[in-house]
């Protein structure tokens, strides 16, 4: 049945009738009428789509289509870009809560159905992508000529949905514009699928009139496709055109019709390409020299002498020669080399300009790469290595490497940076190699300089690995052998498979100790490291508020807020609490979680991770004499007699005697309750502030109350005799049984040595006792009631190292297989530094990642520039110097997604620091390089004169 709805404003309130049909109330010109519509029907409003499904059905359809798409990933699949703003509304509408939401928190948008109080999000209007496209939206467009705004972040600004999902959403909601994007396959050896959100943008310069046109193509498109698109745009036959790579407005290379991709041709985002006619009838002198002659690329025979800083770039790697006297360089498998903006490197060297002061052009969000590269190319041992002829160590057969291509590209780039004076280099060839072998860094999104550094160090090592055939080595357990013996064995095994300049210079060794929390099995291994990722202390601690109850009834409960390690254990919390509350040597604390007025669990395992305690939980601690533990535990619950429901925090004490009577139980309960009595002295000394309990009982008051309890016990009476009925109960607190004072309870016959009783409170007891101390228990952490912010303590590099080396449990996703238990265990892990490399890199972990939350920590870390002494952290005593000096820093400014990377590097010979900000290089004072933007710190070993000769004769990593 098709229903025609008036073009007037329609207000539809959906109600499901008894007949299973929907009723639509149509208000037209002040008059209303009711139409009954079958469930499969739909309502059209202002041209928008129909509503064929319920929110639950929409959610299921989209979820199923997404899952199906994930199972059928292939190159060429279409995905559609949708504004996160609109998609967030749709998620709320279909009932995807905060835990499922890919975007963020729910909105407060709501509506009431049938006057009910349940909150339901409004159905979103037409799809609106206008906030993520350039020049506004085009509802009728197909997305062909509509481009996304630059620098958008997936999940924050937009989401990607498969074609099937888009078709359903567009069918239900209409709107747009459509923004289709294709899935491409990235990488050579490690392939991965990726949706090309930002296609390659090329600026076509027509040499006839110098006009410019913009062409959008996938970076995986072939040069043939580029020629076809240019010819179609200009209306020219393909055999009559010539297209040049016109990077930086200079002819770099002539492009030819082939299946070679634009990415393989090193074409970059927003760069120019030049169109010329083959017949030479050009209307301008673009691409000509000062005499009017065409600039041609001339092949030269490569020189056979190695490159030195003084002699200029004369190295040939034996694979390809220089393409031009203007654009020297070499790379394996490609006739293209990194261009240095037309600067003659050889002439620069002859002019005597300093090396190492060239910047790197930003090729589109490549500041992360430029920052890491500047730090590496200013690493003295690597500079020395790559400025010499290292062809003999190129390993082209290593299946774990890149056939030597990465090492050759890096070496070529390093030589250019050290021989081009101050002229910036465009690292196009290097970026192309990076995209081939590390597809995660392809495209034009911002990335992490530390992740790139890790890949480069590992990739350079494999490309330069002197070991051609890696032997199989079975690792042995320590089995109680001396650390020196195990460490030497592990390093020998490592060197048997890994031997390169990266290992020589950048790799150290640490000791890893694992302890099984069940059987206490200890496993010790010695592993290599190439950098150290240090947590910032502010990221590894948490504040926890725990209320301490006194089992002897000597004082009122008192909340204590302590700071503990996030990855610590219950023993750490107990230690901090004990210090805070002044625990005596003969006393002990017992932790418990209170949930729904019951003790949900006891936290009695010292090695239970604190991560199991959530911020919104209520944790209490019961304070006892150590001699009481092991006796019969008495748990006291509280129940409103009138409503027959539990309230407040249970109290816990111990029955010391092996045989207790009902009267003893009443006396114990009376003693525990005594601090809660409303007395004039208590009122004078006890108070609350901002909802937090304050400890106000002085010694006189406490002693008085305790004395009254003692006197009452001597007289055979207690407060429970007079007012509060006491009953036995079970573990579920569901059944209640009265008992007499002369009833005997033998400790040996009590199951689990645990008795549970219930106090039945009435209004009368409320006048005698202040029960608010039982009810107002603070959560472990609550932002709204956080204590006043204290001035942040300074964080030093040494405190970060301490945090890195602290004992902590493995994560639940990183379990260790215990050979004794024959099961995976959440072992306790401890790291110690055993041997340090010549070059040590510290990675300050400023970025924290949760399921939906990413954050950057801008805390200033105070690090030494000179005389960093690491001797106290090193366990082995191999006679080496552990004094280090800073020589480079990778900086990150701003927040996630939109930040910027720069680098500081020191020219050792000049003893001066420089700031490398992409193409711009400037001198900087040493006093200005310590900032809160420091992200990667590069240190080199400082050798004393007496140890230089010994260090040259025997490498620091050789262990005999």
């Amino acid at each position: 049945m098709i229903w025609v709805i008036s073009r007037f404003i329609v207000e539809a309130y959906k109600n499901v009738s008894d007949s299973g049909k929907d009723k639509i109330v149509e208000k037209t010109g002040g008059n209303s009428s009711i139409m009954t519509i079958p469930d499969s029907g739909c309502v059209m409003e202002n041209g928008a789509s129909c509503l064929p499904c319920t929110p639950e059905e929409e959610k299921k359809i989209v979820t199923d289509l997404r899952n199906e798409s994930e199972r059928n990933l292939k190159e060429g699949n279409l995905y559609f870009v949708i504004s996160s703003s609109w998609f967030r509304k749709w998620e709320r509408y279909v009932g995807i809560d905060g835990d499922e939401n890919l975007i963020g928190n729910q909105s407060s948008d709501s509506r009431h159905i049938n006057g009910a109080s349940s909150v339901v999000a409004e159905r979103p209007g037409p799809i609106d992508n206008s906030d993520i496209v350039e020049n506004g939206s085009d509802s009728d467009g197909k997305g062909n000529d509509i481009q996304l705004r630059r620098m958008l972040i997936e999940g924050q600004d937009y989401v990607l949905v498969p074609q099937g999902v888009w078709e359903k959403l567009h069918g239900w909601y209409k709107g747009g514009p459509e923004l289709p994007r294709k899935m491409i396959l990235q990488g050579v050896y490690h392939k991965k699928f990726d949706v090309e959100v930002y296609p390659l943008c090329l600026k076509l310069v027509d040499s006839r009139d110098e006009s410019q046109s913009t062409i959008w193509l996938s970076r995986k498109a072939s040069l043939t496709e580029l020629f076809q698109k240019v010819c179609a745009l200009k209306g020219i036959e393909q055999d009559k055109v010539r297209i040049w790579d016109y990077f930086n407005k200079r002819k770099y290379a002539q492009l030819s019709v082939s299946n070679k991709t634009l990415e393989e041709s090193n074409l970059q985002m927003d760069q120019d390409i030049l169109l010329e006619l083959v017949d030479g009838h050009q209307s301008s002198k673009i691409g000509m020299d000062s005499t009017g002659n065409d600039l041609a690329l001339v092949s030269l025979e490569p020189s056979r002498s190695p490159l030195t800083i003084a002699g200029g770039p004369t190295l040939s790697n034996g694979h390809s020669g220089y393409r031009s006297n203007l654009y020297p360089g070499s790379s394996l498998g490609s006739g293209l080399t990194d261009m240095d903006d037309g600067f003659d490197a050889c002439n620069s060297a002859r002019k005597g300009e300093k090396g190492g002061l060239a910047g790197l052009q930003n090729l589109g969000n490549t500041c992360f790469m430029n920052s890491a590269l500047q730090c590496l190319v200013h690493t003295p041992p690597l500079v020395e290595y790559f400025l010499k002829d290292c062809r003999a160590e190129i390993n082209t057969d290593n299946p774990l490497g890149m056939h030597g291509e990465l090492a050759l590209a890096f070496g070529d780039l390093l030589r250019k940076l050290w021989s081009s004076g101050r002229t910036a280099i465009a690292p196009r060839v290097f970026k192309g190699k990076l995209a081939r072998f590390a597809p995660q860094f392809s495209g034009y999104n911002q990335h992490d300089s530390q992740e790139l550094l890790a890949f480069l160090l590992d990739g350079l090592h494999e490309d330069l690995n002197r070991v051609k055939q890696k032997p199989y080595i079975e690792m042995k357990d320590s089995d109680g052998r001396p650390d020196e013996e195990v460490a030497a064995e592990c390093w020998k095994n490592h060197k048997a498979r890994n031997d390169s300049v990266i290992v020589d210079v950048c790799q150290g060794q640490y000791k890893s100790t694992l302890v099984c929390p069940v059987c206490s099995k200890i496993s010790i291994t010695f592993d290599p490291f190439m950098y150290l990722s240090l947590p910032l202390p502010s990221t590894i601690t948490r504040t926890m508020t725990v209320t301490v109850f006194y089992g002897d009834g000597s004082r009122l409960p008192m909340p204590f807020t302590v700071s503990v390690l996030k990855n610590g254990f219950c023993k750490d919390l107990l230690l901090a609490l004990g210090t805070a509350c002044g625990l005596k040597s003969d006393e002990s604390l017992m932790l418990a979680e209170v949930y729904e007025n019951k003790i949900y669990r006891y936290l009695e395992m010292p090695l239970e991770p604190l991560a199991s305690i959530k911020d919104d939980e209520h944790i209490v601690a019961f304070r006892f004499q150590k001699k009481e533990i092991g006796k019969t535990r008495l748990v006291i619950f509280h129940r409103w007699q009138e409503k027959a429901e539990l309230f407040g925090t249970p109290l816990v004490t111990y029955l010391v005697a092996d045989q207790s009577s009902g009267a003893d139980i009443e006396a114990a309960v009376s003693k525990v309750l005594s601090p809660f009595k409303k007395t004039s002295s208590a009122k004078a000394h006890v108070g609350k502030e901002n909802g937090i309990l304050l400890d106000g009982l002085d010694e006189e008051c406490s002693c008085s109350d305790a004395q009254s309890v003692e006197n009452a016990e001597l007289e055979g009476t207690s407060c429970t005799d007079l007012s509060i009925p006491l009953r036995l109960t079970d573990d579920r607190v569901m059944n209640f049984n009265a008992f007499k004072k002369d009833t005997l309870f033998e400790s040996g016959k009590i199951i689990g040595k645990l008795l549970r009783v219930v106090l039945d409170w009435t209004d009368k007891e409320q006048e005698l006792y202040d029960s608010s101390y039982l009810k107002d228990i603070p959560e472990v952490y609550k932002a709204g009631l956080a204590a006043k912010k204290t001035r942040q303590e300074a964080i030093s590099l040494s405190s970060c190292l301490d945090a890195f080396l602290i004992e902590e449990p493995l994560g639940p996703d990183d379990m260790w297989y215990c050979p004794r238990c024959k099961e995976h265990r959440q072992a306790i892990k401890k790291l110690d530094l055993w041997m340090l490399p010549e070059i040590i890199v510290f990675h300050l972990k400023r970025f924290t990642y949760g399921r939906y939350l990413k954050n950057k920590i801008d805390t200033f870390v105070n690090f030494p520039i000179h005389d960093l002494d690491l001797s106290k952290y090193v366990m082995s005593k191999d006679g080496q110097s552990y004094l280090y000096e800073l020589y480079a820093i990778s900086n990150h400014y701003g927040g996630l997604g939109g930040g910027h990377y720069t680098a500081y590097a020191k020219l050792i010979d000049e003893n001066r620091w420089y700031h490398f900000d992409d193409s711009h290089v400037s001198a900087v004072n040493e006093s200005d390089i310590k900032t809160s933007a420091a992200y990667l710190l590069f240190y080199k070993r400082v050798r004393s004169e007496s140890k230089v000769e010994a260090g040259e004769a025997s490498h620091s990593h050789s262990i005999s």
Side-chain angles (χ1 to χ4, degrees):
M1 179 182 295
I2 299 177
W3 293 93
V4 180
I5 307 288
S6 170
R7 60 185 176 87
F8 293 98
I9 298 176
V10 178
E11 295 181 8
Y13 297 87
K14 188 171 94 173
N15 297 291
V16 180
S17 64
D18 294 337
S19 62
K21 298 181 179 181
D22 294 339
K23 293 181 179 179
I24 301 295
V25 180
E26 181 189 2
K27 295 186 178 180
T28 307
N31 298 320
S32 64
S33 60
I34 296 179
M35 300 181 297
T36 303
I37 303 178
D39 289 338
S40 59
C42 60
V43 175
M44 304 295 294
E45 181 179 354
N46 294 337
S49 180
C50 60
L51 178 61
C53 305
T54 64
E56 294 75 17
E57 290 171 335
E58 286 190 20
K59 177 181 177 181
K60 184 179 186 308
I61 290 172
V62 169
T63 301
D64 292 344
L65 287 173
R66 273 184 151 174
N67 293 337
E68 181 183 356
S69 176
E70 288 295 321
R71 293 190 297 267
N72 297 282
L73 295 178
K74 63 181 179 180
E75 195 171 12
N77 283 357
L78 270 185
Y79 281 74
F80 286 77
V81 183
I82 299 180
S83 167
S84 290
S85 177
W86 184 90
F87 196 74
R88 186 183 299 119
K89 295 176 183 177
W90 176 82
E91 285 187 313
R92 289 195 294 267
Y93 170 65
V94 299
I96 297 179
D97 56 27
D99 290 336
E100 299 175 85
N101 195 349
L102 299 175
I103 310 303
N105 298 326
Q106 296 189 59
S107 169
S108 59
D109 296 341
S110 63
R111 64 184 172 96
H112 294 273
I113 300 179
N114 249 357
S117 61
S118 58
V119 178
V120 181
E122 290 281 0
R123 184 173 188 269
I127 299 172
D128 183 6
N129 287 332
S130 61
D131 61 328
I132 60 173
V133 298
E134 296 283 3
N135 301 322
S137 64
D138 180 4
S139 59
D140 297 327
K142 296 296 183 180
N144 296 325
D145 298 319
I146 302 175
Q147 298 304 323
L148 289 174
R149 287 169 39 214
R150 298 290 180 94
M151 303 293 289
L152 298 180
I153 301 174
E154 183 178 358
Q156 178 176 315
D157 301 304
Y158 69 89
V159 296
L160 293 168
V161 299
Q163 182 176 4
V165 172
W166 167 260
E167 290 172 350
K168 284 294 182 183
L169 291 175
H170 193 258
W172 294 330
Y173 296 95
K174 299 302 183 187
E178 295 184 359
L179 299 170
R181 295 294 186 268
K182 284 187 178 181
M183 175 168 280
I184 59 177
L185 188 60
Q186 298 276 73
V188 176
Y189 302 110
H190 306 285
K191 297 182 181 294
K192 78 180 189 78
F193 289 107
D194 189 20
V195 177
E196 190 176 27
V197 176
Y198 290 99
L200 187 63
C201 176
L202 299 174
K203 308 296 185 181
L204 176 65
V205 180
D206 193 329
S207 63
R208 296 171 296 178
D209 56 6
E210 299 188 29
S211 62
Q212 290 193 13
S213 307
T214 301
I215 294 178
W216 298 87
L217 276 173
S218 168
R219 58 182 180 270
K220 292 297 182 181
S222 66
L223 290 176
T224 298
E225 294 176 79
L226 173 62
F227 271 80
Q228 291 172 347
K229 189 150 190 173
V230 169
C231 291
L233 178 66
K234 293 295 183 177
I236 307 173
E237 295 181 13
Q238 188 168 301
D239 57 354
K240 293 183 179 181
V241 300
R242 177 165 62 187
I243 300 179
W244 292 87
D245 179 349
Y246 200 49
F247 185 78
N248 281 348
K249 298 292 185 182
R250 295 185 65 95
K251 286 184 178 179
Y252 178 50
Q254 183 177 337
L255 305 177
S256 59
V257 177
S258 69
N259 290 327
K260 191 175 183 179
T261 67
L262 305 185
E263 185 175 53
E264 292 169 342
S265 303
N266 296 318
L267 297 180
Q268 304 298 317
M269 178 70 82
D270 297 324
Q271 82 155 75
D272 294 319
I273 55 175
L274 179 65
L275 170 66
E276 291 182 342
L277 296 185
V278 173
D279 59 12
H281 298 295
Q282 298 171 201
S283 59
S284 73
K285 293 186 178 182
I286 292 178
M288 296 183 180
D289 63 14
S290 58
T291 64
N293 298 319
D294 285 352
L295 292 175
L297 298 179
V298 182
S299 263
L300 300 179
E301 284 297 322
S303 172
R304 300 299 178 187
S305 59
L307 169 75
T308 63
I309 295 180
T314 56
L315 174 71
S316 168
N317 55 38
H319 296 286
S320 62
Y322 290 150
R323 299 293 297 173
S324 169
N325 59 340
L326 291 181
Y327 317 123
S330 60
S331 63
L332 181 63
S334 171
L336 302 178
T337 58
D338 281 331
M339 176 181 175
D340 56 10
D341 200 21
F343 190 87
D344 190 331
C346 297
N347 292 335
S348 170
R350 285 195 294 270
K351 293 175 184 176
E353 292 191 28
K354 298 172 184 176
L357 292 179
L360 289 167
Q361 291 187 28
N362 193 316
L363 304 178
N365 277 337
T366 58
C367 58
F368 77 97
M369 181 181 76
N370 295 344
S371 174
L373 284 174
Q374 290 289 7
C375 293
L376 280 183
V377 301
H378 286 86
T379 298
L382 297 185
V383 174
E384 180 182 357
Y385 179 85
F386 281 101
L387 287 183
K388 295 187 297 187
D389 189 351
C390 57
R391 289 175 297 171
E393 294 196 342
I394 298 292
N395 190 337
T396 59
D397 300 322
N398 187 354
L400 298 179
M402 292 78 179
H403 299 298
E405 293 188 45
L406 183 66
L408 288 168
F410 176 80
D412 184 64
L413 181 59
L414 180 145
R415 288 188 290 274
K416 291 184 183 306
L417 288 170
W418 277 93
S419 62
S420 64
R422 290 178 175 267
T423 303
I425 302 294
R428 298 200 301 164
V429 172
F430 183 83
K431 185 178 185 298
K433 300 294 183 186
L434 197 62
R436 289 187 64 207
F437 297 111
Q440 65 269 30
F441 300 116
S442 63
Y444 303 96
N445 292 329
Q446 184 69 277
H447 295 283
D448 191 323
S449 66
Q450 186 273 330
E451 293 177 0
L452 175 65
L453 176 71
F455 168 79
L456 287 179
L457 289 176
D458 187 63
L460 290 173
H461 157 65
E462 296 295 354
D463 270 5
L464 299 170
N465 198 346
R466 303 173 187 119
V467 179
K468 308 301 181 182
Q469 295 291 332
K470 294 189 177 184
Y472 171 77
I473 300 174
E474 185 174 352
M475 302 303 293
K476 300 177 183 179
D477 202 351
S478 57
D479 290 330
R481 292 181 292 161
D483 284 349
E484 291 76 12
E485 178 184 340
V486 180
E489 179 184 89
C490 290
W491 188 255
K492 179 181 177 181
N493 293 339
H494 176 66
K495 289 279 287 189
R497 294 172 54 85
N498 303 275
D499 186 16
S500 70
V501 65
I502 302 299
V503 175
D504 296 340
V505 172
C506 301
Q507 286 196 357
Q509 190 181 36
Y510 63 78
K511 175 185 176 182
S512 176
T513 305
L514 292 172
V515 180
C516 178
V518 177
C519 71
S520 299
K521 163 70 177 176
I522 299 176
S523 174
I524 297 176
T525 59
F526 290 83
D527 302 306
F529 68 85
M530 215 144 28
Y531 53 86
L532 297 176
S533 293
L534 308 183
L536 274 61
S538 58
T539 68
I540 63 170
T541 59
R542 64 184 290 199
T543 58
M544 300 183 71
T545 300
V546 179
T547 303
V548 177
F549 285 81
Y550 295 80
D552 60 359
S554 60
R555 305 180 73 180
L556 281 168
M558 176 69 185
F560 292 91
T561 300
V562 295
S563 180
V564 292
L565 292 172
K566 286 182 181 178
N567 292 329
F569 311 95
C570 283
K571 67 175 186 178
D572 301 317
L573 177 58
L574 288 170
L575 181 62
L577 276 176
T579 302
C581 71
L583 194 70
K584 299 177 182 178
S585 59
D586 61 346
E587 292 180 317
S588 180
L589 292 173
M590 179 177 64
L591 295 172
E593 178 189 349
V594 176
Y595 178 69
E596 293 185 348
N597 307 307
K598 300 178 185 177
I599 294 181
Y600 178 70
R601 57 171 175 158
Y602 291 98
L603 303 170
E604 296 183 286
M605 295 292 290
L607 294 181
E608 180 167 353
L610 290 179
S612 65
I613 302 176
K614 308 305 179 186
D615 286 345
D616 59 350
E617 293 177 356
H618 298 269
I619 302 298
V620 298
F622 299 102
R623 184 171 178 172
F624 305 105
Q625 294 288 321
K626 287 183 179 179
K627 63 183 180 181
E628 296 177 342
I629 299 177
K631 302 295 184 179
T632 300
R633 184 183 299 172
L634 179 64
V635 183
I636 307 161
F637 298 93
H638 311 279
R639 186 176 68 149
W640 286 116
Q641 190 177 55
E642 182 178 351
K643 298 182 179 179
E645 61 182 26
L646 296 177
F647 78 94
T649 302
L651 301 175
V652 178
T653 189
Y654 281 95
L655 300 174
V656 180
D658 293 333
Q659 189 179 61
S660 300
S661 65
D664 296 328
I665 293 176
E666 289 186 349
V669 172
S670 175
K671 186 176 181 180
V672 173
L673 281 179
S674 61
F676 301 93
K677 291 179 64 177
K678 292 181 178 180
T679 62
S680 58
S681 59
K683 289 180 181 179
H685 295 283
V686 181
K688 298 181 186 178
E689 183 176 323
N690 295 329
I692 301 297
L693 306 180
L694 299 179
D695 185 9
L697 281 177
D698 56 18
E699 293 182 0
E700 180 180 356
C701 176
S702 298
C703 293
S704 175
D705 287 341
Q707 185 66 42
S708 65
V709 172
E710 183 178 350
N711 293 338
E713 290 175 345
L714 292 175
E715 297 172 4
T717 62
S718 70
C719 63
T720 54
D721 291 326
L722 302 175
S723 58
I724 308 180
L726 194 63
R727 302 175 187 274
L728 289 174
T729 186
D730 55 12
D731 57 345
R732 299 180 62 189
V733 198
M734 297 292 291
N735 300 307
F736 309 98
N737 299 306
F739 63 92
K740 299 180 180 179
K741 290 185 178 182
D742 57 357
T743 302
L744 294 179
F745 299 91
E746 295 185 17
S747 177
K749 295 182 180 180
I750 299 175
I751 300 177
K753 289 189 176 182
L754 181 63
L755 276 178
R756 303 175 183 87
V757 295
V758 171
L759 287 169
D760 277 335
W761 290 69
T762 64
D763 292 338
K764 180 180 179 181
E765 280 68 50
Q766 283 292 307
E767 297 177 359
L768 298 175
Y769 296 91
D770 189 348
S771 63
S772 65
Y773 290 96
L774 298 172
K775 294 182 289 187
D776 299 338
I777 302 300
E779 296 177 356
V780 168
Y781 176 80
K782 193 167 185 178
L785 296 178
K788 295 180 180 179
K789 292 184 178 180
T790 59
R791 187 174 182 179
Q792 192 175 39
E793 297 180 2
I795 295 179
S796 65
L797 184 62
S798 60
S799 66
C800 296
L801 263 171
D802 292 336
F804 172 74
L805 298 173
I806 202 165
E807 181 183 88
E808 63 178 357
L810 295 176
D813 298 327
D814 191 25
M815 306 279 271
W816 170 66
Y817 183 78
C818 176
R820 183 181 294 169
C821 297
K822 307 296 182 184
E823 290 185 26
H824 285 88
R825 301 293 190 191
Q826 196 169 355
I828 312 305
K829 185 174 184 177
K830 175 72 170 70
L831 295 179
D832 294 288
L833 299 180
W834 183 262
M835 182 175 59
L836 298 184
E838 291 294 309
I839 300 296
I840 187 167
V841 181
F842 294 111
H843 164 221
L844 304 179
K845 298 173 70 174
R846 294 193 177 277
F847 301 107
T848 59
Y849 300 92
R851 186 177 179 187
Y852 304 111
L853 179 63
K854 298 179 181 179
N855 186 38
K856 186 198 171 186
I857 303 165
D858 289 314
T859 303
F860 173 74
V861 177
N862 190 15
F863 51 88
I865 298 175
H866 305 283
D867 301 328
L868 171 63
D869 189 359
L870 299 176
S871 56
K872 70 175 183 178
Y873 296 101
V874 184
M875 296 188 67
S876 70
K877 304 303 176 185
D878 54 7
Q880 295 296 323
S881 167
Y882 298 121
L883 207 61
Y884 286 82
E885 180 181 356
L886 186 72
Y887 71 89
I889 306 172
S890 175
N891 301 302
H892 180 270
Y893 298 90
L896 291 169
H900 181 60
Y901 286 92
T902 68
Y904 291 124
K906 182 179 182 179
L907 264 61
I908 305 299
D909 294 339
E910 190 181 339
N911 194 30
R912 188 170 186 181
W913 284 88
Y914 287 88
H915 184 217
F916 295 84
D917 186 356
D918 290 331
S919 301
H920 182 70
V921 180
S922 59
V924 63
N925 293 326
E926 184 176 270
S927 58
D928 296 330
I929 67 172
K930 295 170 70 170
T931 71
S932 60
Y935 184 47
L936 301 175
L937 305 175
F938 292 74
Y939 285 87
K940 68 181 186 71
R941 192 195 301 271
V942 177
R943 292 181 177 272
S944 62
E945 294 297 330
S946 61
K947 295 182 179 180
V948 170
E949 295 182 2
E952 293 175 349
S954 174
H955 191 271
S956 64
H957 291 171
S958 59
I959 302 176
S960 57

